Amino acid sequence: MNKKGESAFDVARKNIYWMIAGVVITMIALAVGGIMAGYLNSLTSVPPKLQAEVLAYRFLHSADCLAYQDVETGRVYSNVVDLRKFTDEQLASCHTTANRKEMNFGLTLERAAKTIITNNYFKTDHFNVTRIVLVWDGTQFTKDTLEMGVQEKI
């Protein structure tokens, strides 16, 4: 063989090597990127139970939802449920979901034996959040247990 033939073979061999090396390096870079993205997602994810509790705080601490508001002073009493506001319509004005893939709630006052639900709640609870609350029935405060059934994505 002459010098020219050896040189052409070396060039072809180097081209094939660098093509394979480029594919391998690209696959390694994509794998590292995927691992990093998964790790960052796991660091910033919010547990569903915590997310449900934060959403449920709105029900018990906002006068626009279920919390009792004194007419004379305008003060909103946290963890006090106004029984007149404990309706499906009031809950819908406070928390409405666009579809079944969002968190939906079924709220039950045990002693009052009254239940209200959000618009896409289908009684398939993934977990429950329980709170001891006071209930204002228009004349007096009574102690009750608020059981919030939380339905995650169906």
Side-chain angles (χ1 to χ4, degrees):
M1 285 198 145
N2 62 11
K3 274 290 218 197
K4 193 174 183 182
E6 289 177 23
S7 160
F9 179 72
D10 285 341
V11 171
R13 186 171 42 127
K14 287 180 184 178
N15 281 341
I16 291 172
Y17 169 77
W18 283 111
M19 281 192 292
I20 293 171
V23 169
V24 170
I25 291 171
T26 302
M27 289 172 48
I28 291 172
L30 289 175
V32 168
I35 290 169
M36 293 293 282
Y39 178 68
L40 289 175
N41 282 339
S42 70
L43 285 178
T44 59
S45 67
V46 177
K49 196 163 189 173
L50 177 63
Q51 186 179 7
E53 289 199 28
V54 169
L55 282 171
Y57 276 125
R58 178 174 50 185
F59 302 146
L60 299 175
H61 297 281
S62 173
D64 295 332
C65 289
L66 305 174
Y68 169 66
Q69 183 175 16
D70 190 356
V71 179
E72 295 173 8
T73 62
R75 178 179 173 206
V76 177
Y77 291 86
S78 296
N79 290 324
V80 178
V81 175
D82 190 346
L83 201 57
R84 294 170 295 177
K85 292 182 180 180
F86 201 76
T87 63
D88 288 330
E89 295 80 22
Q90 183 70 24
L91 186 60
S93 71
C94 179
H95 181 79
T96 301
T97 58
N99 54 38
R100 298 173 298 185
K101 296 184 179 183
E102 298 177 36
M103 282 200 178
N104 287 284
F105 295 89
L107 282 68
T108 302
L109 285 171
E110 290 182 359
R111 291 185 80 203
K114 195 168 181 184
T115 300
I116 59 175
I117 60 174
T118 56
N119 60 331
N120 285 309
Y121 181 75
F122 295 108
K123 295 182 177 81
T124 54
D125 294 342
H126 292 96
F127 53 88
N128 291 328
V129 177
T130 304
R131 292 276 179 259
I132 303 296
V133 296
L134 291 175
V135 177
W136 174 253
D137 64 1
T139 59
Q140 66 179 355
F141 292 102
T142 56
K143 190 175 182 179
D144 204 340
T145 302
L146 180 65
E147 184 77 27
M148 294 177 269
V150 181
Q151 169 190 300
E152 283 188 288
K153 305 168 186 159
I154 296 180

